[in-house]
Amino acid sequence: MRLAGRRLLLGVSGGIACYKSCILVRRLREAGALVDVVMTRGATRFVRPVTFEALSGRPVRTSLWTRGEALDHVRLAEEAELIVLAPATADLLARAALGLADDLLTSMLLARSGPVLAAPAMNDRMFAAAPTRSHIASLAARGWHFVGPAIGPLAEGESDTPGRMSEPEEIAEHAARLLLSGGPLQGSRVVVTAGPTREAIDPVRVITNRSSGKMGYRLAEAAWRRGALVTLISGPSSETAHSGINTIRVESTAELRDRLAERLPETDVLIMAAAPADYAPANRATEKTPRQSGNLTLALVSTPDILSDTKSLRKAGMLTVGFALETGDALAKGRAKLERKDLDLIVVNDALQPGAGFEVDTNIVSILHKDSRQTNVSLASKAQIAEAILDVVEAEL
Ligand code: CTP
């Protein structure tokens, strides 16, 4: 649990997006965080405090005037490692920017010196209005962080300009990044490749493999949470990455090589989790090939071995992590690949082991170092395996 024991305070102000804050509390709790909730009076009109009490497992505070809790605003503001405001309405942002302290939440915000993450949510014209812009600018100058707002349907109907609160998962990711960054990956440029590639036979048929992209996406998310600037180069995958991750979609192995080559001179860490197709049809038909009687033989040519091909483009000192999905004698094959492709680390898994490899949410891996060191990670979710891989990466930086 990546936020185990971390203390957060969620400030909820009165907007229709309040219902999404209930899900946010769940996500933060699932990550292991301790969440105290403070609501404005307006918020209690949308969602009853008892809902947040049940979800957070902690008493919910709504007033400055509760007997016996007179100085709570100062204590609470100091104790939380991070204050998350979701939704942060135009009114809350205005009161905070002006330093008003007319309720418990704004009093805490005025007393706060540590980090604050706000997820604005309001009508799109209210968000674009000059007073809101200037309040956000002044809070940003005070060091506040912001996530969203996103573009999407508002309570009033469709909109194509920002106003809608970011999704709870995205807010939770930003909160985690603020709490978890600061290690060796902070500020470093990380490129992760993910998923299969696809080589066209004709306009409708392709050669591909069973890679789902899950491992690469979990690695990109975990590196981003640790404060890295992450570019994800992904082949076709049903996975999606949040807006903090610069995602580039590619189709073929050659395209993956080209996109990666552009970035390598400025990359500090490359994690090559993609499973590029090793062969492509020698000729790509421009029209759909009709079915013929009898068999069809396809001539295939090899695609570039990207890691070997782009060796000379690597930034000096770049850490390169490869993957090897093997069947039988996986460790020996993995070590040979580490040497052949000039890698610093290789993550080896055995495709035939139950719970490992393609199309599953779990994995079992061994991480081999250039010297003979080896780290084994037993059956765990791909999100946990990603954290274990990044622990090893950070130890090498
Ligand atoms: N890789 C690559 N270019 C390719 C194929 C793979 O750079 N055309 C990378 C993968 O992203 C992975 C590592 O090389 O990090 C090992 O991939 P794998 O498919 O196991 O290696 P191959 O060289 O294709 O070896 P083989 O298929 O013979 O096992």
Side-chain angles (χ1 to χ4, degrees):
M1 291 211 286
R2 53 182 172 261
L3 298 183
R6 308 301 296 261
R7 288 203 63 163
L8 277 91
L9 192 141
L10 174 66
V12 185
S13 58
I16 186 63
C18 276
Y19 77 93
K20 290 206 247 175
S21 308
C22 300
I23 303 163
L24 175 60
V25 175
R26 285 207 81 132
R27 296 289 168 265
L28 294 170
R29 296 269 292 142
E30 281 161 12
L34 207 71
V35 185
D36 279 304
V37 179
V38 172
M39 301 175 76
T40 65
R41 209 149 62 98
T44 62
R45 297 188 172 216
F46 287 95
V47 176
R48 309 291 295 165
V50 69
T51 307
F52 283 108
E53 217 150 85
L55 290 168
S56 67
R58 320 252 310 158
V60 169
R61 291 179 175 80
T62 57
S63 167
L64 267 173
W65 308 109
T66 311
R67 205 180 297 164
E69 295 179 3
L71 290 175
D72 263 12
H73 57 291
V74 180
R75 184 179 59 76
L76 285 173
E78 276 166 10
E79 276 177 6
E81 291 175 80
L82 175 67
I83 294 184
V84 181
L85 301 174
T89 58
D91 178 67
L92 178 71
L93 293 172
R95 289 189 294 137
L98 296 173
L100 302 186
D102 52 356
D103 65 7
L104 178 60
L105 186 54
T106 48
S107 304
M108 282 172 36
L109 292 173
L110 188 57
R112 174 76 175 169
S113 56
V116 178
L117 170 68
M122 65 198 74
N123 168 273
D124 52 353
R125 278 175 310 205
M126 288 166 75
F127 181 68
T132 308
R133 312 302 317 154
S134 96
H135 293 141
I136 288 179
S138 105
L139 293 167
R142 235 181 105 187
W144 281 32
H145 304 271
F146 289 87
V147 46
I151 295 172
L154 298 168
E156 306 86 325
E158 286 301 322
S159 160
D160 54 10
T161 46
R164 177 188 166 88
M165 188 171 88
S166 295
E167 292 306 311
E169 290 71 20
E170 185 154 353
I171 300 171
E173 284 289 284
H174 277 76
R177 180 173 162 99
L178 286 169
L179 289 169
L180 299 175
S181 50
L185 276 173
Q186 162 89 47
S188 63
R189 291 175 194 276
V190 174
V191 174
V192 180
T193 68
T197 59
R198 217 145 61 175
E199 305 295 339
I201 299 170
D202 65 25
V204 298
R205 301 186 181 95
V206 294
I207 294 178
T208 187
N209 59 59
R210 291 165 63 184
S211 166
S212 61
K214 288 178 199 284
M215 195 63 246
Y217 277 72
R218 298 299 85 78
L219 279 159
E221 289 157 2
W224 183 83
R225 280 193 297 270
R226 292 180 189 221
L229 305 166
V230 181
T231 298
L232 172 65
I233 309 180
S234 168
S237 164
S238 56
E239 297 288 311
T240 52
H242 62 73
S243 60
I245 294 171
N246 172 28
T247 307
I248 298 167
R249 293 268 178 178
V250 297
E251 186 82 11
S252 65
T253 297
E255 206 186 332
L256 175 53
R257 192 256 332 261
D258 292 348
R259 295 287 85 76
L260 180 64
E262 290 161 13
R263 272 159 193 82
L264 278 182
E266 270 132 47
T267 297
D268 300 307
V269 178
L270 167 64
I271 306 182
M272 193 75 189
D278 286 324
Y279 295 96
N283 298 301
R284 178 187 173 168
T286 49
E287 303 230 346
K288 186 181 168 200
T289 316
R291 185 186 167 90
Q292 302 162 5
S293 57
N295 298 334
L296 172 73
T297 305
L298 266 183
L300 300 177
V301 291
S302 28
T303 56
D305 176 343
I306 301 173
L307 278 171
S308 307
D309 229 49
T310 54
K311 248 186 236 178
S312 63
L313 300 173
R314 293 180 194 171
K315 181 182 166 187
M318 187 182 100
L319 190 92
T320 311
V321 185
F323 274 71
L325 178 69
E326 307 291 355
T327 54
D329 211 4
L331 291 179
K333 288 182 187 169
R335 183 154 295 286
K337 257 176 213 174
L338 178 142
E339 272 150 34
R340 194 167 73 239
K341 301 192 184 218
D342 197 11
L343 308 174
D344 297 291
L345 298 166
I346 192 158
V347 182
V348 183
N349 55 46
D350 185 338
L352 300 183
Q353 252 183 306
F358 284 168
E359 293 177 323
V360 288
D361 288 321
T362 55
N363 215 347
I364 306 161
V365 304
S366 296
I367 306 167
L368 308 185
H369 297 242
K370 224 188 214 158
D371 49 42
S372 51
R373 278 177 300 148
Q374 175 179 333
T375 309
N376 296 325
V377 190
S378 50
L379 183 70
S381 70
K382 285 189 173 166
Q384 289 166 323
I385 302 269
E387 299 291 349
I389 293 170
L390 292 184
D391 285 346
V392 173
V393 165
E394 286 204 309
E396 294 292 302
L397 291 176

